[in-house]
């Protein structure tokens, strides 16, 4: 067995000047039981994965590789079981004489190297790869032997739908996908994942497995497997890779069979604090002050998939104390929260938002959350509840915070009720974040500078992702929210009562320093967190 220079990761990071002794001590104090130092530093944001790989590469003189298009010898998978590969985050790549090259997330895990040398009889030559890269390669090569289609057909003959379904879900969790689409085509099934808001195809499955795979999905979520002509909805809670996740499953009959969409709700990810939701300091202070009011109506606006639910739950979590009674009426209940009474809308039996809300008021609540205001009846009860001493949260589908005011009037709620009850409206959108691992800086163009100057901001440099293995060449990794918060003051109430136009109200709030969606977005571009393309994609320059 090779003699190794067993240095510790903390020492390497200090020597290379990436972290100080104090930062490493802090990270060690905060890390979870049994967690490796590298994982703790990444999770706590002290370093990026790219920095970690570079330090290991330079100081250990071990090359790092990208497995995205690496020619991996799939016959070597027999040497290491999938369980060992996943647990120790490694995958064999190539073999030459008595040496196997193994991609490892932690090339300093000398116990794993020794175990591998003993069990295989080969000398192990480690190379470094990122955790996501290794997990995705394990999924790909252990599960589907993708390159050879004839072999793939045989493999699927042996592989029951249960195993294929498990692989599909595991890949979804590793990719941090929000949705999985199982699309039936004429000749096969396409599996697509929505990652950072963008759909991408990951694999195809033979057509003859369509029925068994869709039946497996229905069994998982307690749907009727004999009903193929009508849409169905279900849900299930599972643990995938030791992560608790909720799946919302929806089926839809199409020409080529039933299409299935699985929404992945990562339970370890939702219970965020308001401070984790990318608020600017001003917006955070104002919003926290707003939700501490004992009564009033607070609305969140934005299209589907703009993070409204996360903000609602974070707000309610902050207010969730023993001495308050919080009741929600939702369609559907996305996450189950401890200590909060959640009511699921059921239109089939007459339990609508309005009916649920009316019953809630007899349950002595302090705080009420209504999933969405869709009709006049719900709007009126929500508004009256806010007037009778309850704090009411809800959502509306409008393009901006100000646009929620005429929307409530359009629902024929008495203007004086809206004016008296409304405390604040927050609009939000999600934008993709620049990948930290390939972030680079360039001089801002004249057009970009002009746009910033028009909003009273200054811009010298733009940060963009060059595209790397970590972000699969997109230049983006992860998403963040941009917000605009309209706090209703007496002047705005006066303008609403006097039927002033939305333009008048906008002019007033702009003069009073309110930041619109585009302003918050451009400030985040200034900070190097996202790009102008992303901000202009979701926010209009008005």
């Amino acid at each position: 067995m090779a003699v190794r220079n067993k240095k510790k990761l903390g020492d390497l990071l200090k020597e290379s000047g990436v972290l100080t002794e104090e930062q490493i001590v802090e990270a060690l104090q905060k890390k979870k039981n049994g967690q490796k130092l590298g994982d703790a530093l990444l999770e706590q944001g002290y370093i990026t994965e790219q920095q970690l790989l570079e330090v290991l590469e330079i100081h250990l003189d071990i090359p790092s590789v990208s497995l995205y298009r690496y020619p991996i010898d799939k016959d070597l998978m027999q040497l290491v079981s999938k369980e060992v590969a996943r647990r120790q985050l490694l995958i064999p790549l190539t073999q030459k004489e008595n040496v196997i090259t193994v991609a490892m997330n932690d090339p300093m895990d000398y116990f794993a190297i020794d175990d591998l040398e003993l069990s295989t009889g080969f000398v192990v030559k480690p190379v470094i790869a990122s955790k996501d890269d290794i997990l995705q390669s394990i999924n790909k090569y252990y599960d589907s032997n993708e390159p050879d289609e004839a072999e793939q057909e045989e493999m699927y003959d042996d592989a029951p739908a249960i195993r294929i379904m498990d692989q599909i879900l595991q890949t979804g969790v590793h990719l941090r996908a929000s949705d999985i689409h199982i699309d039936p085509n004429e000749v096969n099934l396409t599996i697509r994942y929505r990652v950072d808001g963008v759909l991408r195809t990951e694999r195809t499955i033979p057509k003859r497995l369509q029925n068994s795979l869709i039946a497996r999905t229905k069994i998982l979520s307690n749907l009727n497997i004999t009903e193929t002509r009508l849409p169905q909805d279900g849900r299930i809670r599972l643990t995938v890779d030791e992560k608790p996740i909720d799946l919302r499953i929806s089926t839809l009959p199409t020409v080529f069979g039933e299409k299935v969409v699985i929404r992945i709700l990562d339970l370890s990810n939702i219970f965020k604090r308001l401070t984790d939701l990318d608020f600017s300091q001003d917006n955070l202070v104002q919003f926290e002050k707003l939700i501490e009011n004992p009564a009033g109506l607070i609305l969140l606006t934005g299209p589907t998939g703009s993070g409204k639910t996360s903000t609602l739950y974070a707000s309610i979590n902050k207010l969730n104390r023993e001495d308050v009674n919080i009741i929600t009426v939702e369609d559907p209940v996305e996450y189950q929260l401890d200590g909060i009474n959640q009511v699921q809308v059921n239109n089939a039996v007459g339990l609508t938002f309005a009916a649920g809300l009316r019953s809630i008021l007899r349950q002595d609540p302090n705080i009420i959350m209504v999933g969405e205001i869709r009709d006049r009846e719900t709007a009126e009860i929500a508004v009256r509840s806010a007037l009778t001493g309850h704090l009411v949260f809800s959502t509306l589908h409008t393009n901006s915070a100000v646009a929620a005011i005429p929307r409530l009037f359009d629902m024929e709620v008495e203007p004086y009720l809206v004016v008296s009850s409304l405390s604040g409206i927050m609009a939000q959108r999600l934008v993709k974040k620049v990948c930290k691992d390939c972030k680079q800086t360039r001089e801002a163009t004249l057009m970009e500078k002009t746009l910033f100057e028009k909003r009273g901001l200054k811009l010298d440099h733009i940060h963009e992702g060059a595209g790397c293995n970590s972000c699969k060449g997109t230049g983006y990794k992860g998403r963040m929210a941009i917000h605009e918060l309209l706090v209703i003051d007496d002047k705005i109430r006066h303008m609403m009562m006097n039927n002033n136009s939305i333009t008048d109200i906008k002019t007033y709030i702009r003069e009073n320093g309110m930041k619109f969606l585009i302003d918050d977005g451009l400030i985040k571009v200034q900070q190097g967190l996202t790009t102008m393309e992303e901000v202009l994609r979701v926010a209009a320059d008005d």
Side-chain angles (χ1 to χ4, degrees), residues 285-327:
V285 170
Q286 283 188 301
F287 190 67
E288 285 188 334
K289 193 174 159 192
L290 198 60
I291 67 172
E292 291 294 345
N293 285 336
L297 175 61
I298 297 171
L299 293 176
L300 269 79
T301 77
T304 306
S306 57
K308 298 189 298 291
T309 306
S310 297
T311 308
L312 276 178
Y313 281 143
S315 309
I316 282 176
N317 259 345
K318 184 171 173 62
L319 300 170
N320 188 10
R321 299 185 301 269
E322 197 183 322
D323 58 345
V324 292
N325 179 19
I326 302 177
I327 308 183

Side-chain angles (χ1 to χ4, degrees), residues 402-434:
V402 184
I405 297 171
R407 181 70 195 280
L408 286 173
F409 289 169
D410 289 346
M411 287 182 173
E412 294 175 7
V413 182
E414 290 290 348
Y416 74 90
L417 292 177
V418 176
V419 170
S420 316
S421 62
L422 201 54
S423 307
I425 308 162
M426 188 164 74
Q428 68 177 73
R429 298 285 188 283
L430 291 180
V431 292
K432 296 202 283 279
K433 282 157 69 172
V434 174

Side-chain angles (χ1 to χ4, degrees), residues 373-505:
I373 293 178
R374 292 180 185 166
D375 52 50
R376 178 195 165 180
E377 201 182 355
T378 311
E380 193 150 300
I381 305 167
V383 162
R384 287 185 187 277
S385 307
L387 282 176
T388 51
H390 303 95
L391 183 60
V392 182
F393 289 93
S394 193
T395 68
L396 264 184
H397 286 285
T398 62
N399 286 334
S400 66
V402 184
I405 297 171
R407 181 70 195 280
L408 286 173
F409 289 169
D410 289 346
M411 287 182 173
E412 294 175 7
V413 182
E414 290 290 348
Y416 74 90
L417 292 177
V418 176
V419 170
S420 316
S421 62
L422 201 54
S423 307
I425 308 162
M426 188 164 74
Q428 68 177 73
R429 298 285 188 283
L430 291 180
V431 292
K432 296 202 283 279
K433 282 157 69 172
V434 174
C435 172
K436 287 180 184 172
D437 292 332
C438 59
K439 187 193 264 192
Q440 54 185 27
T441 308
R442 67 165 171 80
E443 190 84 19
T445 65
L446 184 61
M447 191 189 86
E448 288 163 342
K449 288 180 179 177
T450 309
L451 178 62
F452 269 73
E453 280 161 16
K454 191 177 156 193
R455 311 293 308 186
L457 297 165
K458 191 173 184 299
L459 181 73
D460 296 319
H461 294 95
I462 286 271
H463 300 270
E464 291 173 330
C468 65
N469 182 53
S470 179
C471 62
K472 299 284 179 279
T474 60
Y476 295 104
K477 194 172 185 185
R479 289 192 293 173
M480 70 185 303
I482 60 173
H483 308 90
E484 69 182 26
L485 178 60
L486 171 58
V487 178
I488 307 292
D489 62 16
D490 289 339
K491 173 75 174 165
I492 296 172
R493 287 196 174 91
H494 182 73
M495 293 170 90
M496 284 161 68
M497 276 310 292
N498 289 333
N499 280 334
N500 280 52
S501 70
I502 290 304
T503 314
D504 293 343
I505 297 178

Side-chain angles (χ1 to χ4, degrees), residues 242-276:
E242 297 165 17
K243 266 188 177 180
I245 56 168
D246 256 8
L247 302 177
R248 286 223 317 267
I249 294 167
S250 163
T251 70
L252 181 74
T254 71
V255 178
F256 297 117
E258 287 177 283
K259 172 180 166 73
V260 177
V261 175
I262 302 169
R263 164 69 56 94
I264 301 176
L265 304 168
D266 182 351
L267 297 177
S268 59
N269 215 8
I270 185 63
F271 303 115
K272 291 184 171 174
R273 296 186 300 274
L274 286 172
T275 46
D276 301 332

Side-chain angles (χ1 to χ4, degrees), residues 116-255:
L116 209 51
E117 291 187 336
L118 281 170
S119 64
T120 63
F122 288 105
V123 173
V124 168
K125 178 187 167 195
V127 293
I128 310 164
S130 73
K131 183 178 179 176
D132 282 354
D133 239 7
I134 291 173
L135 286 171
Q136 282 169 38
S137 298
I138 290 171
N139 264 358
K140 184 173 173 181
Y141 289 97
Y142 277 90
D143 294 333
S144 64
N145 295 347
E146 297 227 357
D148 188 328
E149 224 167 86
E151 277 180 42
Q152 195 177 18
E153 290 279 322
E154 276 173 43
M155 191 277 302
Y156 279 124
D157 279 335
D158 302 331
I162 295 172
R163 201 166 92 213
I164 300 172
M165 197 63 222
D166 288 350
Q167 295 161 17
I168 289 170
L169 292 177
Q170 270 180 355
T171 303
V173 171
H174 291 155
L175 291 173
R176 296 183 187 86
S178 59
D179 303 86
I180 303 172
H181 290 237
I182 301 174
D183 293 324
N185 307 312
E186 195 168 0
V187 291
N188 57 24
L189 274 181
T190 308
I191 310 297
R192 297 188 295 165
Y193 295 90
R194 189 177 292 283
V195 180
D196 292 342
V198 179
L199 268 175
R200 64 181 199 218
T201 302
E202 278 291 313
R203 67 198 283 192
T204 56
I205 288 173
K207 183 76 174 173
R208 59 195 163 73
L209 287 162
Q210 179 174 314
N211 291 344
S212 56
L213 188 64
I214 286 168
R216 171 65 187 158
T217 313
K218 287 180 172 179
I219 289 164
L220 269 179
S221 49
N222 290 325
L223 298 179
N224 180 355
I225 61 167
T226 59
E227 179 55 80
T228 58
R229 296 163 304 167
L230 290 172
Q232 296 186 68
D233 291 300
R235 68 182 304 156
I236 180 178
R237 180 170 287 191
L238 293 174
T239 302
V240 176
D241 288 350
E242 297 165 17
K243 266 188 177 180
I245 56 168
D246 256 8
L247 302 177
R248 286 223 317 267
I249 294 167
S250 163
T251 70
L252 181 74
T254 71
V255 178

